[in-house]
Amino acid sequence: MAVSILDVAKRCGLSTVTVSRVINRTGHVREGNRQKVLRAIEELGYTPNAAARNLVMGRTGLIGVVLSDLLNSYANKVLTELKARLLERGYLSTLFMFEDIVRDDANKYILDEQRVDGYFVIAPAMETKAIEKLRRYGQPILVLDRQMDNVLPPYIEVDDYRGGVIAAEHLLSLGHTKIGYIDGPDMICCPARRAGLCDTLARAGINLYIETGLGDYNYSTGYKTVKQWHSAGTMPTAIFACCDHVATGVIDALRRRGYEVPEDVSVMGFDNIPIFKDYEYSITTIEQPVEEMSVCAVDMMMQLLRGEKLEKEIVKLPPHFIPGNSTGPYRGGQR
Protein backbone atom coordinates (compact mmCIF):
# COMPACT_ATOMS: atom_id res chain seq x y z
CA MET A 1 0.00 0.00 0.00
CA ALA A 2 1.29 3.45 -0.90
CA VAL A 3 2.50 5.66 1.91
CA SER A 4 0.19 8.64 2.48
CA ILE A 5 0.61 12.06 4.04
CA LEU A 6 -1.29 10.69 7.07
CA ASP A 7 1.42 8.06 7.55
CA VAL A 8 4.09 10.77 7.46
CA ALA A 9 2.17 12.87 10.00
CA LYS A 10 1.84 9.90 12.38
CA ARG A 11 5.52 9.01 12.07
CA CYS A 12 6.77 12.51 12.94
CA GLY A 13 3.98 13.33 15.41
CA LEU A 14 2.90 16.50 13.63
CA SER A 15 -0.28 17.61 11.89
CA THR A 16 -1.02 16.93 8.23
CA VAL A 17 -1.12 20.72 7.74
CA THR A 18 2.51 20.98 8.86
CA VAL A 19 3.55 18.05 6.69
CA SER A 20 1.76 19.60 3.71
CA ARG A 21 3.53 22.91 4.24
CA VAL A 22 6.92 21.18 4.21
CA ILE A 23 6.10 19.14 1.11
CA ASN A 24 4.70 22.10 -0.83
CA ARG A 25 7.13 24.67 0.59
CA THR A 26 4.27 26.94 1.66
CA GLY A 27 3.71 28.77 4.94
CA HIS A 28 6.06 28.97 7.92
CA VAL A 29 7.36 25.81 9.58
CA ARG A 30 9.90 25.79 12.41
CA GLU A 31 13.20 24.27 11.34
CA GLY A 32 13.04 21.51 13.95
CA ASN A 33 9.60 20.40 12.72
CA ARG A 34 10.71 20.65 9.10
CA GLN A 35 13.58 18.27 9.82
CA LYS A 36 11.19 15.83 11.56
CA VAL A 37 8.97 15.78 8.48
CA LEU A 38 11.91 15.27 6.14
CA ARG A 39 13.22 12.38 8.25
CA ALA A 40 9.81 10.74 8.28
CA ILE A 41 9.50 11.12 4.51
CA GLU A 42 12.90 9.47 4.02
CA GLU A 43 12.22 6.65 6.49
CA LEU A 44 8.83 5.82 4.96
CA GLY A 45 9.90 6.34 1.35
CA TYR A 46 7.01 8.74 0.82
CA THR A 47 6.63 10.22 -2.68
CA PRO A 48 4.19 13.13 -3.05
CA ASN A 49 1.45 12.62 -5.60
CA ALA A 50 2.50 15.41 -7.94
CA ALA A 51 -0.64 15.24 -10.06
CA ALA A 52 -2.98 15.56 -7.07
CA ARG A 53 -0.85 18.26 -5.46
CA ASN A 54 -0.73 20.31 -8.62
CA LEU A 55 -4.47 19.91 -9.15
CA VAL A 56 -5.12 21.32 -5.69
CA MET A 57 -2.63 24.16 -6.23
CA GLY A 58 -3.91 24.92 -9.74
CA ARG A 59 -0.53 24.20 -11.33
CA THR A 60 0.99 21.76 -13.76
CA GLY A 61 4.41 21.43 -12.12
CA LEU A 62 6.02 22.23 -15.50
CA ILE A 63 8.15 25.21 -16.48
CA GLY A 64 8.65 25.83 -20.18
CA VAL A 65 12.10 26.66 -21.50
CA VAL A 66 12.19 28.40 -24.89
CA LEU A 67 15.44 27.83 -26.79
CA SER A 68 16.42 29.41 -30.08
CA ASP A 69 18.97 26.77 -31.06
CA LEU A 70 19.78 23.26 -29.86
CA LEU A 71 23.32 23.61 -31.23
CA ASN A 72 24.09 26.53 -28.92
CA SER A 73 26.56 25.09 -26.40
CA TYR A 74 26.07 27.90 -23.92
CA ALA A 75 22.25 27.62 -24.00
CA ASN A 76 22.46 23.86 -23.49
CA LYS A 77 24.71 24.45 -20.48
CA VAL A 78 22.10 26.82 -19.02
CA LEU A 79 19.28 24.35 -19.77
CA THR A 80 21.07 21.54 -17.92
CA GLU A 81 21.52 23.72 -14.84
CA LEU A 82 17.91 24.96 -14.96
CA LYS A 83 16.57 21.40 -15.07
CA ALA A 84 18.59 20.47 -11.99
CA ARG A 85 17.54 23.54 -10.02
CA LEU A 86 13.86 23.07 -10.95
CA LEU A 87 13.93 19.45 -9.82
CA GLU A 88 15.15 20.61 -6.41
CA ARG A 89 11.96 22.68 -6.18
CA GLY A 90 9.71 19.84 -7.32
CA TYR A 91 9.26 21.11 -10.88
CA LEU A 92 9.98 19.57 -14.26
CA SER A 93 11.03 21.46 -17.39
CA THR A 94 9.65 21.11 -20.87
CA LEU A 95 11.38 22.37 -23.99
CA PHE A 96 9.95 24.68 -26.66
CA MET A 97 11.83 25.68 -29.79
CA PHE A 98 11.57 29.33 -30.77
CA GLU A 99 10.85 28.49 -34.42
CA ASP A 100 7.80 26.49 -33.33
CA ILE A 101 6.22 28.90 -30.88
CA VAL A 102 6.33 31.82 -33.33
CA ARG A 103 4.52 29.87 -36.08
CA ASP A 104 0.82 30.75 -35.95
CA ASP A 105 -0.22 27.35 -37.29
CA ALA A 106 1.68 25.61 -34.48
CA ASN A 107 0.55 27.74 -31.55
CA LYS A 108 -2.48 25.70 -30.61
CA TYR A 109 -0.59 22.43 -30.43
CA ILE A 110 2.65 23.73 -29.00
CA LEU A 111 1.32 26.18 -26.45
CA ASP A 112 -2.43 25.84 -25.89
CA GLU A 113 -2.33 22.07 -25.46
CA GLN A 114 0.80 21.87 -23.32
CA ARG A 115 0.08 23.94 -20.24
CA VAL A 116 2.95 25.18 -18.12
CA ASP A 117 3.21 27.39 -15.04
CA GLY A 118 5.80 29.79 -16.43
CA TYR A 119 8.46 30.29 -19.09
CA PHE A 120 12.20 30.82 -19.24
CA VAL A 121 13.25 32.37 -22.54
CA ILE A 122 16.79 31.76 -23.81
CA ALA A 123 16.60 33.14 -27.34
CA PRO A 124 19.36 35.75 -27.76
CA ALA A 125 18.34 38.62 -30.07
CA MET A 126 14.90 37.05 -30.56
CA GLU A 127 13.44 37.54 -27.08
CA THR A 128 10.89 40.20 -28.03
CA LYS A 129 9.11 38.04 -30.60
CA ALA A 130 9.02 35.08 -28.22
CA ILE A 131 7.58 37.20 -25.41
CA GLU A 132 4.86 38.57 -27.72
CA LYS A 133 3.68 35.03 -28.38
CA LEU A 134 3.88 33.88 -24.76
CA ARG A 135 2.36 36.90 -23.04
CA ARG A 136 -1.19 36.01 -24.11
CA TYR A 137 -1.16 32.96 -21.82
CA GLY A 138 -0.75 34.99 -18.64
CA GLN A 139 2.05 32.96 -17.05
CA PRO A 140 5.25 34.48 -15.66
CA ILE A 141 8.01 35.00 -18.25
CA LEU A 142 11.68 35.41 -17.34
CA VAL A 143 14.37 36.14 -19.93
CA LEU A 144 17.86 34.74 -19.38
CA ASP A 145 20.90 36.23 -21.13
CA ARG A 146 19.06 39.29 -22.50
CA GLN A 147 20.45 40.47 -25.86
CA MET A 148 17.89 43.05 -27.01
CA ASP A 149 17.56 46.61 -25.71
CA ASN A 150 13.76 46.63 -25.92
CA VAL A 151 13.21 43.60 -23.64
CA LEU A 152 11.19 44.59 -20.58
CA PRO A 153 12.04 43.15 -17.16
CA PRO A 154 12.20 40.79 -15.49
CA TYR A 155 15.42 39.46 -16.96
CA ILE A 156 18.86 38.22 -16.00
CA GLU A 157 22.00 39.18 -17.88
CA VAL A 158 25.76 38.84 -17.57
CA ASP A 159 27.99 41.86 -16.96
CA ASP A 160 29.70 41.64 -20.34
CA TYR A 161 31.41 45.00 -19.84
CA ARG A 162 33.13 43.53 -16.80
CA GLY A 163 34.20 40.58 -18.93
CA GLY A 164 35.99 42.95 -21.30
CA VAL A 165 37.67 44.64 -18.35
CA ILE A 166 38.89 41.28 -17.03
CA ALA A 167 40.30 40.34 -20.45
CA ALA A 168 42.15 43.65 -20.81
CA GLU A 169 43.57 43.50 -17.28
CA HIS A 170 44.86 39.98 -17.87
CA LEU A 171 46.53 40.76 -21.20
CA LEU A 172 48.03 44.01 -19.88
CA SER A 173 49.42 42.16 -16.88
CA LEU A 174 51.28 39.91 -19.34
CA GLY A 175 52.86 42.94 -21.02
CA HIS A 176 50.78 43.00 -24.21
CA THR A 177 50.09 46.34 -25.88
CA LYS A 178 49.17 45.21 -29.42
CA ILE A 179 45.78 43.67 -28.64
CA GLY A 180 43.17 42.66 -31.21
CA TYR A 181 39.45 42.09 -30.70
CA ILE A 182 37.30 39.78 -32.85
CA ASP A 183 33.66 40.84 -32.71
CA GLY A 184 30.53 38.68 -32.79
CA PRO A 185 26.93 39.12 -33.98
CA ASP A 186 24.74 42.18 -33.49
CA MET A 187 23.83 41.56 -29.85
CA ILE A 188 24.26 43.83 -26.85
CA CYS A 189 26.90 41.57 -25.27
CA CYS A 190 29.60 42.13 -27.92
CA PRO A 191 29.70 45.97 -27.82
CA ALA A 192 29.75 45.72 -24.02
CA ARG A 193 32.73 43.35 -24.06
CA ARG A 194 34.52 45.62 -26.53
CA ALA A 195 33.77 48.70 -24.42
CA GLY A 196 35.15 47.06 -21.27
CA LEU A 197 38.27 46.06 -23.18
CA CYS A 198 38.84 49.46 -24.80
CA ASP A 199 38.10 51.53 -21.70
CA THR A 200 40.58 49.52 -19.66
CA LEU A 201 43.24 49.82 -22.37
CA ALA A 202 42.60 53.58 -22.59
CA ARG A 203 43.18 53.97 -18.85
CA ALA A 204 46.57 52.35 -19.46
CA GLY A 205 47.26 54.79 -22.31
CA ILE A 206 46.81 52.18 -25.03
CA ASN A 207 44.46 52.00 -28.03
CA LEU A 208 42.99 48.82 -29.41
CA TYR A 209 45.52 47.68 -32.02
CA ILE A 210 43.10 46.03 -34.47
CA GLU A 211 39.54 44.68 -34.59
CA THR A 212 36.98 43.14 -36.92
CA GLY A 213 33.46 44.07 -37.94
CA LEU A 214 30.45 41.98 -36.95
CA GLY A 215 30.99 38.23 -37.17
CA ASP A 216 29.39 35.00 -36.01
CA TYR A 217 29.91 32.83 -32.94
CA ASN A 218 31.78 30.18 -34.89
CA TYR A 219 35.16 28.70 -35.73
CA SER A 220 35.24 30.25 -39.20
CA THR A 221 35.07 33.81 -37.86
CA GLY A 222 38.29 33.32 -35.92
CA TYR A 223 40.05 31.40 -38.67
CA LYS A 224 39.23 33.92 -41.44
CA THR A 225 40.21 36.88 -39.28
CA VAL A 226 43.67 35.47 -38.58
CA LYS A 227 44.17 34.78 -42.30
CA GLN A 228 43.35 38.43 -43.07
CA TRP A 229 45.55 39.87 -40.35
CA HIS A 230 48.44 37.62 -41.32
CA SER A 231 48.17 38.57 -45.00
CA ALA A 232 48.08 42.27 -44.10
CA GLY A 233 51.02 41.97 -41.70
CA THR A 234 48.94 43.36 -38.81
CA MET A 235 49.01 40.43 -36.39
CA PRO A 236 48.61 41.54 -32.76
CA THR A 237 50.52 39.88 -29.93
CA ALA A 238 47.26 39.07 -28.12
CA ILE A 239 43.73 38.39 -29.37
CA PHE A 240 40.49 38.58 -27.40
CA ALA A 241 37.80 36.60 -29.22
CA CYS A 242 34.08 37.13 -28.58
CA CYS A 243 33.59 33.45 -27.69
CA ASP A 244 35.46 30.16 -27.33
CA HIS A 245 34.29 28.86 -30.72
CA VAL A 246 35.97 31.86 -32.38
CA ALA A 247 39.06 31.42 -30.20
CA THR A 248 39.60 27.84 -31.45
CA GLY A 249 39.49 29.09 -35.05
CA VAL A 250 42.05 31.74 -34.11
CA ILE A 251 44.41 29.21 -32.54
CA ASP A 252 44.25 26.75 -35.45
CA ALA A 253 44.79 29.48 -38.05
CA LEU A 254 47.76 30.88 -36.11
CA ARG A 255 49.46 27.50 -35.82
CA ARG A 256 48.98 26.74 -39.53
CA ARG A 257 50.83 29.99 -40.29
CA GLY A 258 53.78 29.22 -38.08
CA TYR A 259 52.80 31.12 -34.93
CA GLU A 260 53.17 29.48 -31.55
CA VAL A 261 50.39 29.95 -28.99
CA PRO A 262 50.99 31.59 -26.57
CA GLU A 263 54.68 32.20 -27.27
CA ASP A 264 54.01 34.41 -30.32
CA VAL A 265 50.34 35.28 -29.89
CA SER A 266 48.16 34.95 -26.80
CA VAL A 267 44.48 34.05 -27.30
CA MET A 268 41.50 34.58 -25.01
CA GLY A 269 37.90 33.46 -25.43
CA PHE A 270 34.56 33.90 -23.67
CA ASP A 271 32.04 31.37 -22.25
CA ASN A 272 34.17 28.43 -20.97
CA ILE A 273 32.19 26.00 -23.12
CA PRO A 274 32.40 22.34 -21.94
CA ILE A 275 33.03 20.87 -25.42
CA PHE A 276 36.50 22.43 -25.40
CA LYS A 277 37.67 20.60 -22.28
CA ASP A 278 39.49 18.03 -24.43
CA TYR A 279 40.88 20.60 -26.88
CA GLU A 280 44.66 20.64 -27.16
CA TYR A 281 44.67 24.02 -25.45
CA SER A 282 42.90 24.94 -22.25
CA ILE A 283 41.67 28.28 -23.48
CA THR A 284 42.07 31.25 -21.18
CA THR A 285 38.51 32.50 -21.08
CA ILE A 286 35.79 34.47 -19.31
CA GLU A 287 33.14 32.17 -17.86
CA GLN A 288 29.51 33.17 -17.81
CA PRO A 289 28.08 32.36 -14.35
CA VAL A 290 25.67 29.66 -15.54
CA GLU A 291 25.11 28.03 -12.16
CA GLU A 292 24.47 31.36 -10.41
CA MET A 293 22.18 32.42 -13.25
CA SER A 294 20.14 29.23 -12.99
CA VAL A 295 19.79 29.43 -9.21
CA CYS A 296 18.76 33.08 -9.46
CA ALA A 297 16.33 32.36 -12.31
CA VAL A 298 14.56 29.56 -10.44
CA ASP A 299 14.37 31.64 -7.25
CA MET A 300 12.79 34.49 -9.23
CA MET A 301 10.35 32.15 -10.98
CA MET A 302 9.22 30.66 -7.67
CA GLN A 303 8.55 34.17 -6.35
CA LEU A 304 6.53 35.02 -9.45
CA LEU A 305 4.52 31.82 -9.14
CA ARG A 306 3.68 32.74 -5.55
CA GLY A 307 2.49 36.12 -6.77
CA GLU A 308 5.24 37.96 -4.93
CA LYS A 309 6.89 41.17 -6.11
CA LEU A 310 10.50 40.62 -7.13
CA GLU A 311 13.13 42.43 -5.08
CA LYS A 312 15.03 43.04 -8.32
CA GLU A 313 13.49 42.74 -11.78
CA ILE A 314 16.86 43.22 -13.49
CA VAL A 315 19.77 41.09 -12.31
CA LYS A 316 23.28 41.51 -13.70
CA LEU A 317 25.74 38.77 -12.74
CA PRO A 318 29.54 39.11 -12.87
CA PRO A 319 31.55 36.73 -15.07
CA HIS A 320 34.61 34.81 -13.86
CA PHE A 321 38.18 34.64 -15.17
CA ILE A 322 39.29 31.11 -16.09
CA PRO A 323 43.07 30.82 -16.67
CA GLY A 324 44.40 28.48 -19.36
CA ASN A 325 47.52 27.84 -21.40
CA SER A 326 46.52 29.90 -24.44
CA THR A 327 47.88 33.15 -22.97
CA GLY A 328 51.40 33.99 -21.87
CA PRO A 329 53.82 36.87 -21.31
CA TYR A 330 54.76 39.17 -24.18
CA ARG A 331 58.21 38.10 -25.38
CA GLY A 332 59.33 41.16 -27.28
CA GLY A 333 58.32 40.25 -30.80
CA GLN A 334 56.95 37.68 -33.24
CA ARG A 335 58.58 35.73 -36.00
Side-chain angles (χ1 to χ4, degrees):
M1 183 180 294
V3 178
S4 71
I5 193 172
L6 289 173
D7 298 320
V8 176
K10 288 179 182 178
R11 173 62 66 95
C12 64
L14 297 169
S15 69
T16 55
V17 172
T18 300
V19 174
S20 177
R21 284 177 176 174
V22 174
I23 293 171
N24 296 312
R25 298 181 178 88
T26 58
H28 175 71
V29 178
R30 285 183 295 184
E31 183 59 24
N33 287 340
R34 192 178 77 85
Q35 292 299 328
K36 287 181 182 179
V37 173
L38 293 176
R39 281 196 298 271
I41 287 173
E42 184 176 0
E43 291 169 0
L44 294 173
Y46 172 72
T47 301
N49 186 321
R53 181 185 65 191
N54 291 331
L55 182 63
V56 170
M57 299 175 70
R59 296 179 185 166
T60 66
L62 287 172
I63 302 295
V65 182
V66 178
L67 285 184
S68 58
D69 184 0
L70 285 174
L71 299 178
N72 186 315
S73 303
Y74 166 71
N76 286 332
K77 191 175 177 183
V78 176
L79 176 61
T80 299
E81 285 292 333
L82 280 176
K83 288 174 62 178
R85 302 290 83 78
L86 286 169
L87 279 172
E88 292 173 356
R89 301 297 189 92
Y91 279 82
L92 296 175
S93 58
T94 184
L95 182 64
F96 297 96
M97 295 307 300
F98 172 83
E99 62 185 22
D100 290 328
I101 69 168
V102 297
R103 287 174 51 198
D104 290 334
D105 62 337
N107 276 345
K108 180 150 185 67
Y109 173 73
I110 297 296
L111 298 176
D112 292 349
E113 297 302 324
Q114 189 169 4
R115 301 293 182 181
V116 299
D117 298 328
Y119 296 95
F120 292 123
V121 176
I122 313 171
M126 295 181 280
E127 300 100 328
T128 301
K129 196 170 183 180
I131 292 170
E132 286 175 358
K133 292 291 185 180
L134 298 176
R135 189 171 285 139
R136 71 186 70 174
Y137 298 99
Q139 290 103 338
I141 302 170
L142 181 62
V143 173
L144 281 69
D145 192 23
R146 178 190 69 114
Q147 293 299 330
M148 298 181 74
D149 286 324
N150 60 350
V151 173
L152 297 175
Y155 58 76
I156 302 173
E157 61 184 359
V158 175
D159 190 345
D160 289 290
Y161 180 91
R162 178 60 189 159
V165 171
I166 293 171
E169 290 177 343
H170 175 64
L171 296 176
L172 288 171
S173 73
L174 296 174
H176 294 283
T177 57
K178 290 185 175 181
I179 297 171
Y181 175 64
I182 301 180
D183 209 350
D186 186 16
M187 300 181 185
I188 64 175
C189 63
C190 292
R193 293 171 190 175
R194 181 190 181 280
L197 176 73
C198 292
D199 288 352
T200 307
L201 294 180
R203 286 192 288 270
I206 299 169
N207 292 323
L208 190 61
Y209 178 67
I210 192 170
E211 61 180 313
T212 65
L214 296 177
D216 292 314
Y217 287 139
N218 59 34
Y219 177 96
S220 296
T221 294
Y223 197 95
K224 289 187 294 186
T225 298
V226 167
K227 283 178 62 178
Q228 293 166 2
W229 289 350
H230 175 72
S231 297
T234 55
M235 190 65 66
T237 66
I239 298 172
F240 177 36
C242 62
C243 75
D244 291 346
H245 287 282
V246 174
T248 57
V250 168
I251 291 172
D252 289 351
L254 284 170
R255 296 184 67 197
R256 289 199 178 189
R257 281 151 187 81
Y259 297 93
E260 294 294 332
V261 178
E263 290 79 5
D264 297 323
V265 182
S266 287
V267 180
M268 283 192 71
F270 206 106
D271 286 336
N272 194 28
I273 297 173
I275 63 172
F276 296 120
K277 286 184 177 178
D278 296 325
Y279 187 59
E280 185 174 351
Y281 286 85
S282 59
I283 298 173
T284 301
T285 189
I286 310 296
E287 181 179 56
Q288 303 209 48
V290 171
E291 184 174 348
E292 296 98 311
M293 179 181 288
S294 301
V295 170
C296 182
V298 172
D299 284 345
M300 290 172 72
M301 180 60 73
M302 295 301 111
Q303 290 180 59
L304 291 171
L305 291 176
R306 292 193 296 266
E308 299 173 2
K309 182 176 176 59
L310 296 175
E311 293 181 11
K312 290 184 179 179
E313 289 195 323
I314 299 174
V315 177
K316 181 171 287 193
L317 299 172
H320 312 300
F321 173 69
I322 305 296
N325 62 13
S326 65
T327 55
Y330 172 63
R331 301 197 176 190
Q334 298 166 334
R335 33 178 190 155

